[in-house]
Amino acid sequence: TDTEVHTRKKTFTEVQSERLDQAERTVLIKCPARLNEKQLLQYLSSHGNIKSNFFFENRGIYAVIEFSEKNSIASLQDAIGIPNAAKHHVVPYKSRLFTFTMKTPTSKAAEETPVHLSPQFHIPVKELIPKLCDADSISSQMYSLLNEYQLTEENIKLRFLVCSLVQDFARAYFPDSTVKPFGSSVNSFGKLGCDVDMFLDFHDVQKHTTKMKKGPFEMEYQMKRLPSERLVTQKILSVIGDCLDNFGPGCMTVQKVLSARCPVVKFSHQPTGFQCDLSVSNSIAIRSSELLYIYGCLDSRVRALVFSVRCWARVHGLTSVVPGSWITNFSLTMMVMFFLQNRSPPIIPTVDQLKALAGEKDKYVIGGYDCSFVSDLSKIKPTKNTETLDVLLGDFFEYFGNFDFRRNSINLRKGKEVNKPESSPLYIWNPFEQDLNISKNVNQPQLEKFVAVARESAWILQKNDKTQQMINKEPWGLAALLIPLGKSNPNEMKNRTKGIQSGTIRKLLDSLNLNNSTSVQKAVGK
């Protein structure tokens, strides 16, 4: 019931459904540079009640308008004109993207009240560092970074709107289909500016298969049959890709990558500025998104630590936007989760513990893999761990700076180190597809660089003297970690490598075949 939902935290599925529904009642309008906001909203209100609205800038000003009723959009579409075909011949596809212009210039008074624009990108690290230096603890620095980088409510709405606009195309062919975002747009760990991963879902079609079982006869749709599911996926994506390319307003640089392990259509959505990847239903990826969403909701320290570690990794070149032998953000996030499972007492439960709490409606077996875990957050006991983020950040670097990567792998199902099943430098078990290593792409030099930079960062935090550094106007705490190594003070680097001869570090150097401190410097400099 609705009242029950209001008293507890909403489940992942409830949040998604609500946002998909909002998106279907939303339009996107390109506005003139000199905009009279009041006039625009007044005009739109004549078609129905506006539930919410915001403005953003992306090569011009755009308005995102959510109506209370879906039929207000039909009313608005009926009143809207088609572009003049004198200059260009247009594809007569009527979407929910409109352009608004004033026939008469706005008065000076109206121009003096500028529209509030919602940010769509986070500030660069260079601008972030002075902000962090004003904080009063490493914990508050980490929450400050989280606030600057996390997706805003408006940005999330925009992501669901792009999915909804793609869904309009898909429904021209498949009226029951839905297009939903997955990954960083919905797992609570996305940062402003990240890509939108979306998938086309036909699950309603599968529900039909159980309908006609009763009675003395059977009836079913005649459908085209193909030799493999992969071929079906490729054909569907090929057609939708062509559709977006040929008819989709604002869809640019459409690329069909159909031979990939997971076939995908990549495109850039110009009005919103999003880079988008469209695939066909990937149930396991959705389960991973929900698992991370649950971890992100359980304790505010989880997201703060992940955002700080990911920002740190990007600054030091440990992660990259380009695919390669680097650690991915997903792998790094899983490493943080594993670290939090291993605190005493644990800050988050293991995947097996979440599975043990699963009710009947939480049971999911996908392609032979058990992907069941509890969806109701109120069934998960809150942690008794009270460690500060100051402690957790330093201990994260120490933990992985001293981890025996040669022998052990990272297993989130069990929440403990287990022997590696094969010899990849970094082995992180996929929490659902138990025979997959999600960090298979990472090579030995990249892992060594990660370990070296983690140790170096642990050292910087241990030597952290906030008061002295503030007097000297030097970055301290998290801010000191977001400066590429060797750039802060070259003499300090030499002193640090002397300090690296401590017992635990020496043991680690041996485990990684880095037998002396110069190789640490080489690894850091790679």
Side-chain angles (χ1 to χ4, degrees):
T1 63
D2 276 358
T3 48
E4 181 213 1
V5 170
H6 283 300
T7 53
R8 61 171 169 77
K9 272 189 179 168
K10 289 179 184 141
T11 66
F12 178 78
T13 312
E14 285 162 357
V15 174
Q16 301 314 296
S17 307
E18 215 168 87
R19 290 201 182 278
L20 290 164
D21 180 54
Q22 270 177 352
E24 285 191 31
R25 291 182 274 106
T26 302
V27 297
L28 182 59
I29 304 172
K30 185 165 190 176
C31 301
R34 290 178 169 175
L35 167 69
N36 186 325
E37 184 182 343
K38 200 173 162 194
Q39 272 183 312
L40 170 68
L41 295 176
Q42 223 166 352
Y43 164 67
L44 294 170
S45 295
S46 66
H47 293 281
N49 183 46
I50 294 174
K51 195 169 180 189
S52 75
N53 68 277
F54 66 90
F55 295 83
F56 69 94
E57 191 174 13
N58 174 41
R59 298 182 189 164
I61 291 176
Y62 282 86
V64 177
I65 311 288
E66 180 201 341
F67 286 103
S68 297
E69 301 290 331
K70 201 175 169 181
N71 57 14
S72 302
I73 295 178
S75 158
L76 178 62
Q77 282 172 321
D78 282 347
I80 283 178
I82 285 188
N84 184 352
K87 287 194 202 129
H88 299 284
H89 294 285
V90 296
V91 174
Y93 174 74
K94 295 175 181 174
S95 73
R96 287 179 280 145
L97 279 176
F98 312 125
T99 305
F100 176 77
T101 40
M102 300 295 290
K103 288 181 184 166
T104 51
T106 52
S107 67
K108 271 276 176 273
E111 285 168 35
E112 280 162 24
T113 52
V115 182
H116 170 70
L117 298 171
S118 168
Q120 299 304 307
F121 291 96
H122 62 76
I123 58 173
V125 175
K126 272 202 292 272
E127 286 172 36
L128 177 69
I129 288 174
K131 280 193 175 198
L132 298 184
C133 291
D134 291 340
D136 58 5
S137 67
I138 290 176
S139 283
S140 49
Q141 287 183 330
M142 291 168 76
Y143 283 118
S144 175
L145 181 145
L146 175 64
N147 283 328
E148 290 291 344
Y149 275 51
Q150 68 184 346
L151 301 183
T152 59
E153 179 64 21
E154 290 81 9
N155 190 269
I156 294 172
K157 282 183 173 175
L158 209 47
R159 288 165 184 272
F160 275 84
L161 176 58
V162 174
C163 293
S164 186
L165 295 172
V166 173
Q167 179 176 280
D168 289 347
F169 273 106
R171 284 187 171 172
Y173 295 94
F174 309 104
D176 289 338
S177 63
T178 50
V179 174
K180 301 173 185 169
F182 69 96
S184 53
S185 295
V186 295
N187 66 17
S188 83
F189 294 97
K191 70 169 184 175
L192 285 170
C194 68
D195 293 357
V196 180
D197 292 310
M198 53 178 89
F199 74 100
L200 189 52
D201 198 16
F202 302 103
H203 275 166
D204 296 351
V205 178
Q206 284 160 17
K207 278 180 198 156
H208 269 290
T209 52
T210 55
K211 271 192 180 167
M212 294 293 296
K213 291 286 177 269
K214 289 178 185 147
F217 56 82
E218 255 186 49
M219 246 170 100
E220 60 182 22
Y221 286 102
Q222 285 195 22
M223 288 179 168
K224 201 170 186 82
R225 293 169 191 272
L226 291 173
S228 73
E229 189 180 4
R230 181 176 171 82
L231 196 57
V232 174
T233 296
Q234 287 170 328
K235 283 190 183 293
I236 291 170
L237 283 177
S238 180
V239 172
I240 307 273
D242 284 342
C243 233
L244 293 172
D245 198 10
N246 293 311
F247 310 144
C251 296
M252 313 294 278
T253 58
V254 178
Q255 277 178 291
K256 298 190 286 186
V257 190
L258 302 180
S259 57
R261 192 176 75 89
C262 175
V264 68
V265 172
K266 293 174 167 292
F267 64 96
S268 148
H269 190 257
Q270 249 183 340
T272 57
F274 289 134
Q275 292 299 318
C276 305
D277 281 6
L278 171 69
S279 49
V280 167
S281 62
N282 183 342
S283 314
I284 288 184
I286 279 286
R287 296 302 283 162
S288 295
S289 303
E290 180 169 357
L291 178 68
L292 284 177
Y293 172 83
I294 286 173
Y295 282 146
C297 285
L298 286 180
D299 192 293
S300 64
R301 292 170 292 179
V302 177
R303 293 174 64 241
L305 185 57
V306 168
F307 274 77
S308 290
V309 167
R310 293 210 308 208
C311 185
W312 163 83
R314 177 56 56 86
V315 164
H316 296 292
L318 301 173
T319 56
S320 168
V321 280
V322 190
S325 54
W326 297 271
I327 295 176
T328 62
N329 270 331
F330 183 57
S331 292
L332 202 52
T333 305
M334 290 306 197
M335 289 168 86
V336 176
M337 298 305 153
F338 184 72
F339 164 74
L340 294 172
Q341 288 174 340
N342 280 279
R343 300 311 283 169
S344 179
I347 292 177
I348 56 172
T350 66
V351 179
D352 279 346
Q353 286 165 340
L354 292 176
K355 181 187 163 185
L357 294 169
E360 207 40 58
K361 64 176 182 14
D362 297 323
K363 297 262 187 282
Y364 280 88
V365 177
I366 302 163
Y369 296 107
D370 192 340
C371 303
S372 311
F373 55 81
V374 67
S375 59
D376 182 349
L377 291 157
S378 62
K379 288 185 179 165
I380 306 166
K381 282 199 181 86
T383 178
K384 292 196 164 60
N385 181 306
T386 56
E387 291 174 300
T388 64
L389 281 166
D390 303 48
V391 169
L392 292 172
L393 184 65
D395 282 6
F396 172 83
F397 295 128
E398 202 143 308
Y399 181 78
F400 283 113
N402 293 305
F403 191 89
D404 187 356
F405 286 108
R406 214 172 33 166
R407 227 171 288 150
N408 291 334
S409 64
I410 290 167
N411 187 321
L412 278 94
R413 281 205 86 89
K414 297 184 170 41
K416 59 174 193 260
E417 302 166 17
V418 292
N419 285 346
K420 267 194 208 178
E422 46 102 342
S423 63
S424 296
L426 174 62
Y427 198 104
I428 304 172
W429 297 68
N430 183 312
F432 303 120
E433 293 172 274
Q434 282 283 283
D435 43 4
L436 289 186
N437 170 13
I438 61 170
S439 51
K440 200 175 174 60
N441 62 307
V442 180
N443 63 17
Q444 191 64 28
Q446 285 301 324
L447 178 63
E448 288 177 12
K449 181 177 175 180
F450 171 80
V451 169
V453 181
R455 284 194 214 136
E456 181 71 9
S457 301
W459 192 93
I460 292 171
L461 287 178
Q462 277 163 14
K463 291 277 170 282
N464 186 37
D465 179 354
K466 180 184 148 193
T467 328
Q468 193 52 50
Q469 285 167 303
M470 286 181 93
I471 293 167
N472 297 350
K473 300 229 177 323
E474 288 172 13
W476 62 276
L478 176 60
L481 300 184
L482 299 183
I483 295 164
L485 293 175
K487 290 217 174 145
S488 47
N489 182 346
N491 294 331
E492 229 174 281
M493 275 297 282
K494 285 178 195 154
N495 298 338
R496 277 178 209 172
T497 40
K498 282 180 200 158
I500 264 176
Q501 300 306 332
S502 75
T504 49
I505 303 268
R506 207 173 318 120
K507 194 172 71 199
L508 205 83
L509 290 174
D510 296 342
S511 82
L512 280 161
N513 307 323
L514 292 173
N515 298 320
N516 57 35
S517 57
T518 52
S519 4
V520 175
Q521 275 199 289
K522 273 186 212 153
V524 172
K526 268 179 201 163

